[in-house]
Amino acid sequence: MTLSLVSLLSRDVTALWLLLKASTDEIMHQDIVPLCAADIQDQLKKRFAYLSGGRGQDGSPVITFPDYPAFSEIPDKEFQSVMTYLTSIPSLQDAGVGFILVIDRRRDKWTSVKASVLRIAASFPANLQLVLVLRPTGFFQRTLSDIAFKFNRDDFKMKVPVIMLGSVPELHGHIDRSQLTEDLGGTLDYCHTRWLCHRTAIESFALMVKRTAQALQAFGTELAETELPNDAPSTRAVLCAHTEKRDRAKEDMRLALEEGRGVLESVSAPLAQDPERSVNQDQLDNQSTVQRLLAQLSETEAAFDEFWAKHQQKLEQCLQLRHFEQGFREVTATLDVVSQKVAAFTDVGNSLAHVQHLLRDLAGFEEKSRAAVDRARALCLDGERLIEDKHYAVDSILPKCEELRQLCDAFAAEVGRRRGRLGRSLELHGLLETSMRWSDEGIYLLASQPVDKCQSQDGAEAALQEIERFLETGAESKIQELPQILQDYESILNQDLTEHVRKVFQKQASTEEMFRRRQASLRKLAAKQTRPVQPVAPRPEALTKSPCPSPGIRRGSENPSSEGSVLRRGPYRRAKSEMSGRQGRSSSAGDEEESLAVLRRHVMNELLDTERAYVEELLCVLEGYAAEMDNPLMTHLISTDLHNKKDVLFGNMEEIYHFHNRIFLRELETYADCPELVGRCFLERMEDFQIYEKYCQNKPRSESLWRQCSDCPFFQECQRKLDHKLSLDSYLLKPVQRITKYQLLLKEMLKYSRSCEGAEGLQEALSSILGILKAVNDSMHLIAITGYDGNLGDLGRLLMQGSFSVWTDHKRGHTKVKELARFKPMQRHLFLHEKAVLFCKRREESGEGYEKAPSYSYKQSLNMTAVGITENVKGDAKKFEIWYNSREEVYIVQAPTPEIKAAWVGEIRKVLTSQLQACRDASQHRALEQSQSLPLPAAPGSSPSRGTARNIKKLEERKTDPLSPDGYVSAAPPPPKAPEKGR
């Protein structure tokens, strides 16, 4: 109840906090010049360049370079800093048009003019629109500048024109006099000292506003994230601390506002003194900037004041509530046991035995709760008196009083209501178990009818009578109408119980359908004698009646991943046994198909049940372990070895969960009514199953980390909260077990769907799942390779891998070594890729679990473009040769079995054949291009396809062993009927 009040009080505060945060963010993201005037104040005071505020005809800012004798002596760093600062002051829109530079060199020499222009052009950091140079006015220097400018025009190559002006009137032809300062014959009012003072003040104020906004946002964040204490003294301390910080923040805002108003008054002083005085654009921009900052600061202050008022009210109300809760906790201490019992008590059971047990618990609970109820009545009266006194925390006190009133005033009525509901539940579960018992007896009856006796007319009639007598008993045992049952027991039905009722009714309907089909078959046999059928004796175990487990036990299992799954598979296995016995005894094709359909439904039910349990287990791990690693309250339990290792421990389990929960489980459920077509679902999502390869590749790292940190208190606490009997490592193994489980279920489904429409899809899905398992297994071996310098991904797809005995026989090398090597094989693990075959040495590692997995030390590799094979080696059907570079290197490979050898030889043949075909296609393509592009025949030695032809010839030669007449690999696949040795 306390949390409900806190949530209610926090709604308005949260909204105001968002408003305050938006206001402060707007201030903190202002485009404040990163380089301030105070940083380069000494350089700006030199006034070798200034931004007067004048504008060109299209609004381009004017930067003036006055006559400064020591211009060439200004350090480059100072010059660059001043240029960067001046070009950053105008707005982005004005700066985007481009700057106009006015360079006054009327009293200077031509050499200085040239150096100045070149220096400005080389270091100017922004867009330039026009450069206007007032050249020297002396006769000799003016003449020299005209001549030198013409002959040195290339030295002034710039992206904008450079115009040499002989007098100030010429300058007025390009820029209006109102936009020029007095030293250039203009009327623009500009004082460099005043401009520097204004810029320094504005930037100082902007910095203060930003710091104030940052302080407000930090304080607001602290207030918004503060958790309300659980006792009155702590709440009082938090209120005092927050009030003190609020006063300091208000004082900072007051000082910022005073400084801002002073800056605005200083900037607006010229216009206030003389309203008719013209103000340049820079002055207007400065004024609007200060006004905008003041407005935003005022809005932020108003939002903060409103936010603080709500926050203060929340703390004061919390303080009052804590005093009430302190007394409430003292009274309710004795009611904890009763409250826990009430919270954990179930209104309806999930089986007949469970309901009987709940009735006994209810009687004991009523007797033990009498003393606690008497004390609760007194507490309820205290709460009601607080409400009558119009306490401010009525919304918090009233639910507590209602809770106490329910436990006290209506305790007897509540127990009676619970007893009545349990009575109705007992009645319903009795009906359900009677119906399930009738269905099981019916299935047993159908399965136990002898097939040989039913082939005769008398036997068929006897079987019909037996079925009719049994059906007559169903009037009292069956659920007659499902809607009526759901309506009669609507008051006690929950989701699980409703689903159980529907399943029982579905089982009953399936049993009745089986009886109808059997009756139709027997009537045909009774009416007309059919051809004799070889009778098959039933299995002895088929005649023994298997008791049906209670459905309540199935749903009530605590561990759905172990015990529950075994109980769920119980009916399936029993039905499978009964149906298989029935198939052996049935002579009707309809009965056989009916039995297969029942088995397919059982397999589909197991697939869906285990898939739902799998998704729930993944979610439980992600929420109960992975998410808790980010919980600040659990940080003290996590060891240092686990920090930032969540991705290592859990891999991509979250990706696997989202795929199964959002996609695969929903698509599987669409095939519930046509299980024989479920192979299509697997085929459509086969690419998505490749996420398991990433999970399995990370499993060794996860296992290693788990062994290091399995004793961490964090895991023990999470396991306690989840009430798991198994530790986390058992659940981390679930994805590996699940991807293996699919191929078993598909095999089972395919077994009962051979004559169905979806049999081909099931077979293809099974093959694809097995392919994924093989790829996962191969990748686990691939990541264990050590010592390979290159990138294994460049070798193409991994086709096969396995361990072999290898002998070497090279043309180069000492004869004794060669002869010795022939009798002493090496144990090598081969990895066949599309572009190369790798030879590695297998090394067993010590350890447990995945650390005990072997590693592979890289020895050498053979490029498949230079590899040839000899399929048969005399004396051993398990050997074949891999030779390299026209038999310079020969490797005799002995496989564990002839079948493994045949698989490897066939895969290598495919690789070599594809290479040869690709080479031929390239040759034909180049020859075609040559014939279309060259009008005259080329010389014999210059044909572009000649090299390719030689490559094809070499490729064909290396694919045929010139030394062994026993076998070779041709470029094309051998014909179907080729009894020659070596094919």
Side-chain angles (χ1 to χ4, degrees):
M1 300 300 291
T2 302
L3 293 178
S4 301
L5 178 63
V6 172
S7 175
L8 185 62
L9 292 175
S10 299
R11 291 178 182 174
D12 295 337
V13 179
T14 303
L16 291 171
W17 159 235
L18 293 176
L19 178 62
L20 173 62
K21 187 175 184 299
S23 179
T24 55
D25 285 343
E26 183 179 358
I27 294 177
M28 292 171 63
H29 288 83
Q30 294 294 330
D31 295 330
I32 299 177
V33 180
L35 186 63
C36 299
D39 299 334
I40 56 172
Q41 189 171 8
D42 294 337
Q43 293 90 326
L44 292 173
K45 286 181 179 180
K46 295 179 181 180
R47 198 174 175 267
F48 60 82
Y50 60 86
L51 188 68
S52 63
R55 293 291 188 269
Q57 296 179 357
D58 53 356
S60 18
V62 177
I63 296 180
T64 304
F65 292 85
D67 189 9
Y68 190 77
F71 184 80
S72 60
E73 299 176 2
I74 299 173
D76 292 339
K77 184 177 181 180
E78 294 183 6
F79 179 79
Q80 188 66 37
S81 299
V82 172
M83 290 296 100
T84 302
Y85 178 74
L86 293 179
T87 54
S88 62
I89 293 176
S91 63
L92 294 177
Q93 181 179 1
D94 294 342
V97 178
F99 288 85
I100 297 178
L101 305 185
V102 178
I103 304 175
D104 185 5
R105 292 297 182 266
R106 289 175 289 179
R107 300 179 183 179
D108 212 338
K109 298 180 181 180
W110 163 247
T111 55
S112 299
V113 173
K114 178 181 178 182
S116 300
V117 174
L118 292 177
R119 182 180 188 182
I120 294 171
S123 303
F124 197 75
N127 294 333
L128 278 174
Q129 187 186 78
L130 184 63
V131 178
L132 303 175
V133 181
L134 286 172
R135 61 188 177 184
T137 57
F139 175 77
F140 176 74
Q141 292 295 332
R142 181 174 57 185
T143 305
L144 179 60
S145 63
D146 290 340
I147 298 174
F149 182 72
K150 294 178 181 179
F151 285 97
N152 297 284
R153 188 177 298 274
D154 293 339
D155 295 339
F156 296 97
K157 284 185 177 179
M158 303 170 65
K159 296 182 179 179
V160 295
V162 178
I163 301 177
M164 290 291 180
L165 304 175
S167 62
V168 172
E170 293 183 18
L171 175 62
H172 296 166
H174 296 276
I175 302 176
D176 190 82
R177 292 182 58 192
S178 61
Q179 302 299 320
L180 293 173
T181 57
E182 294 179 358
D183 56 347
L184 296 176
T187 60
L188 183 64
D189 179 27
Y190 175 76
C191 176
H192 190 67
T193 303
R194 183 182 61 194
W195 176 87
L196 184 58
C197 180
H198 287 174
R199 291 303 308 173
T200 304
I202 291 172
E203 290 168 1
S204 175
F205 173 61
L207 184 59
M208 176 179 286
V209 170
K210 184 175 182 180
R211 290 174 179 172
T212 304
Q214 290 175 340
L216 284 179
Q217 185 172 3
F219 183 43
T221 303
E222 179 184 355
L223 296 183
E225 296 178 354
T226 298
E227 296 184 2
L228 296 180
N230 294 325
D231 57 285
S234 300
T235 305
R236 188 180 298 106
V238 169
L239 180 59
C240 294
H242 286 183
T243 303
E244 183 179 353
K245 291 183 179 180
R246 179 257 180 188
D247 294 339
R248 289 199 299 266
K250 286 289 291 183
E251 180 63 20
D252 292 340
M253 281 189 289
R254 186 187 64 80
L255 294 176
L257 287 171
E258 287 183 359
E259 180 173 346
R261 294 188 184 101
V263 173
L264 180 62
E265 183 178 356
S266 176
V267 172
S268 306
L271 186 61
Q273 295 172 1
D274 187 4
E276 298 180 357
R277 185 176 184 179
S278 61
V279 181
N280 60 49
Q281 186 63 38
D282 284 353
Q283 292 174 332
L284 293 176
D285 292 343
N286 292 341
Q287 185 176 352
S288 62
T289 299
V290 177
Q291 290 173 347
R292 184 176 69 253
L293 289 174
L294 281 172
Q296 291 175 349
L297 191 59
S298 299
E299 293 175 0
T300 303
E301 182 182 19
F304 176 76
D305 290 341
E306 187 176 359
F307 169 70
W308 168 254
K310 292 292 184 180
H311 181 73
Q312 185 180 25
Q313 181 184 6
K314 179 181 71 173
L315 289 179
E316 291 174 352
Q317 291 177 350
C318 177
L319 181 61
Q320 296 172 355
L321 180 64
R322 294 296 180 256
H323 288 295
F324 168 77
E325 289 177 342
Q326 183 175 357
F328 181 78
R329 283 193 296 270
E330 293 174 357
V331 176
T332 57
T334 57
L335 289 175
D336 288 341
V337 176
V338 176
S339 300
Q340 292 175 4
K341 278 284 186 179
V342 171
F345 210 90
T346 306
D347 288 338
V348 293
N350 49 29
S351 67
L352 187 63
H354 190 200
V355 176
Q356 294 172 349
H357 177 72
L358 290 177
L359 283 171
R360 290 192 297 270
D361 284 350
L362 180 61
F365 172 74
E366 183 180 7
E367 182 66 26
K368 293 178 181 179
S369 301
R370 295 187 185 276
V373 168
D374 293 338
R375 300 187 65 181
R377 292 183 185 276
L379 179 62
C380 183
L381 293 176
D382 293 340
E384 290 176 352
R385 280 194 294 269
L386 291 176
I387 295 175
E388 291 176 359
D389 294 339
K390 297 181 179 180
H391 194 277
Y392 74 95
V394 172
D395 292 339
S396 175
I397 299 173
L398 183 59
K400 293 180 175 62
C401 292
E402 291 177 354
E403 181 181 358
L404 294 174
R405 191 178 296 109
Q406 290 177 1
L407 293 173
C408 300
D409 298 339
F411 181 77
E414 180 66 17
V415 172
R417 186 180 68 86
R418 290 177 182 271
R419 187 179 291 108
R421 289 170 61 84
L422 287 174
R424 294 287 291 169
S425 177
L426 187 69
E427 180 182 347
L428 176 60
H429 280 289
L431 293 176
L432 295 178
E433 292 212 358
T434 302
S435 175
M436 291 182 63
R437 192 181 308 111
W438 180 84
S439 298
D440 290 338
E441 291 175 356
I443 294 175
Y444 171 75
L445 173 63
L446 294 176
S448 61
Q449 285 185 340
V451 179
D452 51 349
K453 294 182 180 180
C454 293
Q455 303 305 311
S456 64
Q457 186 174 4
D458 294 339
E461 291 178 352
L464 272 174
Q465 293 176 2
E466 185 179 12
I467 290 175
E468 290 174 355
R469 285 195 299 272
F470 178 78
L471 291 177
E472 290 176 357
T473 63
E476 299 178 356
S477 304
K478 295 188 303 181
I479 299 176
Q480 300 300 331
E481 295 183 2
L482 178 62
Q484 187 64 37
I485 291 292
L486 296 178
Q487 181 179 357
D488 292 344
Y489 297 95
E490 182 180 5
S491 59
I492 64 171
L493 288 178
N494 53 31
Q495 184 177 1
D496 293 338
L497 188 54
T498 303
E499 183 180 359
H500 180 50
V501 172
R502 294 185 184 277
K503 287 184 178 180
V504 172
F505 186 79
Q506 183 180 3
K507 181 178 181 181
Q508 175 183 295
S510 300
T511 304
E512 292 176 340
E513 180 65 21
M514 293 168 62
F515 272 110
R516 284 194 294 270
R517 293 184 180 181
R518 177 61 64 86
Q519 283 178 317
S521 300
L522 292 176
R523 288 192 183 100
K524 292 180 182 179
L525 291 174
K528 181 179 180 180
Q529 183 65 32
T530 59
R531 62 179 182 176
V533 178
Q534 181 67 30
V536 180
R539 293 183 178 180
E541 60 270 19
L543 299 177
T544 60
K545 183 175 181 181
S546 175
C548 179
S550 173
I553 298 178
R554 287 200 299 271
R555 294 196 311 276
S557 176
E558 294 181 357
N559 190 352
S561 63
S562 58
E563 300 174 4
S565 61
V566 173
L567 292 175
R568 283 195 299 269
R569 287 195 294 269
Y572 161 64
R573 289 175 176 172
R574 186 183 70 249
K576 176 181 175 182
S577 175
E578 295 171 358
M579 292 304 135
S580 61
R582 179 180 172 185
Q583 289 177 11
R585 292 185 293 269
S586 178
S587 62
S588 173
D591 291 345
E592 181 179 359
E593 178 58 32
E594 172 191 342
S595 302
L596 292 176
V598 172
L599 291 174
R600 286 196 296 270
R601 284 196 296 271
H602 280 296
V603 176
M604 191 66 193
N605 290 338
E606 182 175 2
L607 174 59
L608 289 173
D609 291 343
T610 54
E611 183 73 14
R612 295 187 185 103
Y614 175 55
V615 170
E616 291 175 1
E617 288 168 350
L618 292 182
L619 178 61
C620 186
V621 172
L622 292 174
E623 290 183 345
Y625 287 97
E628 288 297 312
M629 292 185 73
D630 299 327
N631 186 358
L633 299 178
M634 302 286 284
T635 305
H636 65 285
L637 299 177
I638 301 177
S639 61
T640 56
D641 295 336
L642 276 175
H643 287 169
N644 301 322
K645 295 292 182 64
K646 183 170 71 172
D647 293 340
V648 175
L649 185 61
F650 298 97
N652 62 330
M653 180 181 284
E654 185 174 359
E655 182 183 8
I656 294 175
Y657 165 72
H658 288 313
F659 163 65
H660 284 272
N661 182 50
R662 299 174 181 175
I663 300 175
F664 192 63
L665 176 57
R666 298 180 182 179
E667 294 182 357
L668 277 180
E669 290 173 344
T670 60
Y671 289 89
D673 297 331
C674 46
E676 64 276 2
L677 303 180
V678 75
R680 300 176 182 175
C681 182
F682 282 89
L683 291 175
E684 291 173 357
R685 295 297 173 185
M686 201 54 65
E687 292 184 2
D688 296 322
F689 278 105
Q690 294 177 0
I691 58 179
Y692 280 91
E693 184 173 346
K694 179 180 178 181
Y695 184 85
C696 293
Q697 287 178 355
N698 180 70
K699 202 67 175 70
R701 299 173 60 201
S702 175
E703 287 284 338
S704 177
L705 181 61
W706 167 254
R707 276 190 298 277
Q708 296 175 16
C709 309
S710 58
D711 297 334
C712 180
F714 169 77
F715 295 121
Q716 299 172 5
E717 178 65 16
C718 291
Q719 184 176 353
R720 185 191 66 79
K721 288 183 178 180
L722 295 172
D723 197 19
H724 280 181
K725 297 180 180 179
L726 302 176
S727 55
L728 174 61
D729 58 329
S730 300
Y731 291 91
L732 293 177
L733 196 60
K734 293 294 182 181
V736 181
Q737 296 172 339
R738 187 58 183 170
I739 191 64
T740 309
K741 176 73 173 177
Y742 286 130
Q743 56 101 6
L744 299 177
L745 292 172
L746 287 173
K747 285 181 181 178
E748 199 73 18
M749 183 67 75
L750 182 61
K751 180 179 178 182
Y752 308 125
S753 308
R754 295 292 183 184
S755 60
C756 296
E757 176 186 354
E760 184 177 354
L762 288 170
Q763 182 63 54
E764 187 176 354
L766 176 59
S767 301
S768 301
I769 285 290
L770 292 175
I772 288 180
L773 291 176
K774 178 181 179 300
V776 170
N777 181 59
D778 290 344
S779 66
M780 294 296 290
H781 289 275
L782 197 61
I783 63 175
I785 295 178
T786 60
Y788 184 74
D789 295 335
N791 185 4
L792 291 174
D794 297 337
L795 302 181
R797 185 168 54 93
L798 177 63
L799 303 176
M800 303 189 75
Q801 54 87 22
S803 296
F804 300 88
S805 298
V806 179
W807 291 263
T808 60
D809 186 4
H810 302 339
K811 289 183 179 181
R812 301 175 182 177
H814 200 274
T815 305
K816 292 184 179 180
V817 177
K818 179 181 69 174
E819 294 299 331
L820 180 62
R822 286 183 174 274
F823 296 99
K824 186 178 180 181
M826 300 176 293
Q827 299 302 318
R828 292 289 183 261
H829 200 89
L830 272 60
F831 294 87
L832 177 61
H833 293 261
E834 292 176 326
K835 298 181 181 180
V837 56
L838 270 60
F839 288 76
C840 300
K841 185 174 182 180
R842 180 187 177 105
R843 300 185 183 277
E844 296 291 343
E845 299 293 342
S846 61
E848 299 178 357
Y850 278 90
E851 283 192 357
K852 197 174 181 181
S855 63
Y856 303 97
S857 177
Y858 169 76
K859 294 299 181 183
Q860 64 190 109
S861 62
L862 305 179
N863 195 329
M864 292 302 294
T865 58
V867 165
I869 64 169
T870 303
E871 295 188 19
N872 294 322
V873 177
K874 290 183 178 180
D876 196 335
K878 297 184 291 185
K879 290 183 178 179
F880 64 97
E881 287 185 354
I882 299 177
W883 41 271
Y884 194 64
N885 283 340
S886 300
R887 300 190 70 86
E888 284 186 2
E889 303 175 15
V890 178
Y891 301 88
I892 302 174
V893 182
Q894 184 182 43
T897 63
E899 292 77 12
I900 295 178
K901 169 202 164 180
W904 272 75
V905 168
E907 199 64 38
I908 295 175
R909 182 196 297 119
K910 292 179 183 178
V911 175
L912 299 182
T913 302
S914 63
Q915 290 180 356
L916 179 58
Q917 185 61 38
C919 196
R920 286 177 174 171
D921 293 344
S923 176
Q924 293 176 2
H925 181 67
R926 292 175 181 173
L928 180 61
E929 288 183 347
Q930 178 187 3
S931 63
Q932 293 177 353
S933 61
L934 297 180
L936 297 177
S942 62
S943 174
S945 61
R946 186 172 182 179
T948 305
R950 286 198 300 269
N951 291 338
I952 295 176
K953 184 176 181 182
K954 289 182 178 180
L955 191 59
E956 292 176 341
E957 289 176 354
R958 71 180 173 83
K959 289 178 170 40
T960 304
D961 182 5
L963 302 179
S964 176
D966 296 321
Y968 65 93
V969 177
S970 61
K977 298 179 180 180
E980 294 88 0
K981 187 176 181 181
R983 287 290 185 181

